[in-house]
Amino acid sequence: SNKLPLKPNSSGDSPSPNASKKITTGSFAALIRVLSFAGPYWRVVAIGTVLALATTFASLVPPYLTMPLVDRVLIPQQSGEHVAIGAALPYLAGLAAAAILASSLGWGRTWILAWVSERITADMRIRTYAHVQSLSLDFFATRRTGDLISRIGSDTERLNNYVSISLIDFFSNLLLVVFTSIVLFTISPLLAVMTLVPFPFVIWLVYSVRGRLHQGFSRSRIAWADMTSVLADTIPGIRVVKAFAQEKREISRFRRANHRVLEANDHVNITWSYFGPLVTLFSEFGILVIWASGVWLVFNNTVTVGTLTAFLAYISRFYGKVESMVRMVPATQRAAASAQRICDLLRRSPLDKRGRPRTMMPAPRGRRGPPARAGGGRSGSGARRRPGSSGSRAKTAASPRASA
């Protein structure tokens, strides 16, 4: 095990810097292939999708109710008009009912889709492990044990977390962004256009950084697999390591593998350190645009204060969800890298060029030994004894058939 390479080999696991777009496309294709494991559970997925739509509609109700609450109750009361306090109760009851309904529907959506994601990853682990069992010994000779363990264990668990947490949140946020945009254009098209001014810059930023993030996460996963391989090589053979006094050498191997993990994670953190704050800056700029446009429209009696209040509530949710979706880019890149590593295993064919299973072992062709004697057969060493030997005479004397 000490002769295993310390760096990833050229088997296609290490991404080339000049092929980041190709790798990203292949990784997302692998992620879609992994999500195809949800086919047997499409009915449950459909129920979760309906609950997600219902949750989105329920969450859009509270900001809409703030318009009549401000324009018909609060502003007239502040202007000196007599408004009964009971006029605000229907709006407050609607706000409370919408919040309770959205929370209940969100709980059902999260539980159902998490249930599906657990089954998807369980099926994936079984499928991957069974496929690995069908591969030839030549395949295992070129693969490190820790790398295979990392793919079947860590990568599938990473995909489980992505499907059960990040993917559900991304889908819900996407629905909320789409329907919020529709509501904004329905209330005031001019304010809606002003709202979406920073949005193209956010899309451009995501597109420009996703290749770097994916390349960094791919290198990180390879470095983690390499470090796991060092542990898988050393710990089971600790007796050999101590017998030959190789503790310092194994510590040095692990230190180099750990340093590669640190370097890979540092490259990802450098990219993310300027990506996250830029997204937040664009979001704050969008809210500032709404305030400036809204104040100008209110002074020109184009929109009411209640409409501006509703717009601010919607736009806060809008850019909050957009920022949340953008921050899911690292999780998506990690999941895509894990999906590509799993699909690399599933693409390995268990058949040779002639269409025969690679694992088929030839029948043993050894010289058949002498038949067993009735009086005791062959000795434990497999060598024939001469009839006059002491062992043969002793067995004959002890045989019930001989004493008879």
Side-chain angles (χ1 to χ4, degrees):
S1 62
N2 295 336
K3 296 181 180 180
L4 292 173
L6 290 176
K7 294 184 178 181
N9 51 27
S10 60
S11 60
D13 291 335
S14 182
S16 173
N18 298 326
S20 60
K21 292 185 178 180
K22 183 177 180 181
I23 291 175
T24 304
T25 304
S27 298
F28 278 101
L31 184 59
I32 293 175
R33 181 185 177 186
V34 166
L35 294 179
S36 66
F37 279 86
Y41 310 101
W42 67 269
R43 291 183 178 86
V44 185
V45 173
I47 295 174
T49 304
V50 171
L51 289 177
L53 287 170
T55 305
T56 303
F57 284 124
S59 62
L60 292 175
V61 172
Y64 199 85
L65 292 178
T66 58
M67 288 192 297
L69 178 62
V70 172
D71 291 335
R72 300 175 185 177
V73 179
L74 299 182
I75 291 181
Q77 176 66 28
Q78 192 175 19
S79 301
E81 298 181 13
H82 176 69
V83 179
I85 193 172
L89 294 181
Y91 303 112
L92 297 177
L95 292 174
I100 295 173
L101 180 61
S103 177
S104 302
L105 293 173
W107 173 84
R109 174 209 63 191
T110 303
W111 186 85
I112 288 178
L113 295 181
W115 183 89
V116 172
S117 67
E118 290 290 345
R119 269 83 188 154
I120 291 174
T121 51
D123 295 344
M124 190 191 314
R125 281 193 293 266
I126 295 174
R127 170 80 177 276
T128 306
Y129 183 74
H131 186 75
V132 168
Q133 291 292 326
S134 67
L135 298 177
S136 64
L137 294 177
D138 294 336
F139 170 79
F140 292 96
T142 58
R143 293 286 180 173
R144 305 184 69 172
T145 304
D147 178 66
L148 296 177
I149 294 174
S150 176
R151 296 190 187 211
I152 298 175
S154 301
D155 287 334
T156 55
E157 184 61 25
R158 184 179 295 275
L159 286 171
N160 179 29
N161 294 332
Y162 175 74
V163 174
S164 61
I165 300 175
S166 300
L167 190 60
I168 295 175
D169 291 340
F170 180 84
F171 181 68
S172 301
N173 293 339
L174 180 62
L175 290 176
L176 188 60
V177 166
V178 172
F179 289 115
T180 300
S181 302
I182 295 174
V183 172
L184 291 177
F185 276 97
T186 302
I187 297 175
S188 176
L190 182 58
L191 273 180
V193 172
M194 295 296 181
T195 299
L196 300 178
V197 167
F199 195 65
F201 296 98
V202 176
I203 296 177
W204 169 79
L205 184 62
V206 172
Y207 181 80
S208 62
V209 82
R210 67 187 183 97
R212 297 179 183 178
L213 285 176
H214 176 74
Q215 187 176 352
F217 287 129
S218 296
R219 291 175 175 173
S220 177
R221 296 301 299 165
I222 293 172
W224 269 100
D226 186 63
M227 188 176 68
T228 306
S229 297
V230 173
L231 295 175
D233 295 340
T234 305
I235 294 178
I238 191 65
R239 294 179 181 272
V240 178
V241 172
K242 290 186 173 294
F244 290 92
Q246 295 295 311
E247 292 90 346
K248 292 184 178 180
R249 181 177 181 272
E250 295 302 328
I251 293 173
S252 178
R253 287 182 62 202
F254 184 80
R255 182 179 289 112
R256 289 194 294 269
N258 186 51
H259 183 67
R260 285 194 293 273
V261 173
L262 182 63
E263 286 183 339
N265 291 337
D266 282 343
H267 281 89
V268 173
N269 292 332
I270 290 173
T271 304
W272 180 250
S273 63
Y274 78 86
F275 175 68
L278 277 179
V279 173
T280 304
L281 177 63
F282 287 139
S283 301
E284 296 294 334
F285 179 72
I287 296 176
L288 179 62
V289 169
I290 289 299
W291 268 111
S293 303
V295 169
W296 181 77
L297 291 175
V298 168
F299 271 88
N300 286 275
N301 295 323
T302 305
V303 298
T304 63
V305 177
T307 302
L308 179 59
T309 304
F311 249 87
L312 290 173
Y314 277 122
I315 201 60
S316 299
R317 297 190 179 197
F318 179 87
Y319 277 106
K321 298 303 180 182
V322 169
E323 187 174 349
S324 178
M325 290 169 59
V326 170
R327 292 184 183 277
M328 292 178 193
V329 172
T332 304
Q333 299 296 339
R334 291 191 188 101
S338 297
Q340 187 178 26
R341 285 163 51 81
I342 292 175
C343 288
D344 286 342
L345 284 181
L346 295 177
R347 279 194 294 263
R348 297 281 179 171
S349 176
L351 304 178
D352 59 12
K353 295 181 179 179
R354 298 180 181 180
R356 297 179 302 182
R358 296 179 185 272
T359 55
M360 183 178 294
M361 300 292 291
R365 296 181 180 180
R367 189 175 63 182
R368 185 175 297 177
R373 294 176 178 269
R378 285 185 286 173
S379 62
S381 61
R384 293 184 63 184
R385 295 181 181 272
R386 291 183 296 175
S389 63
S390 59
S392 177
R393 288 195 298 268
K395 288 183 178 180
T396 303
S399 174
R401 194 175 295 177
S403 60

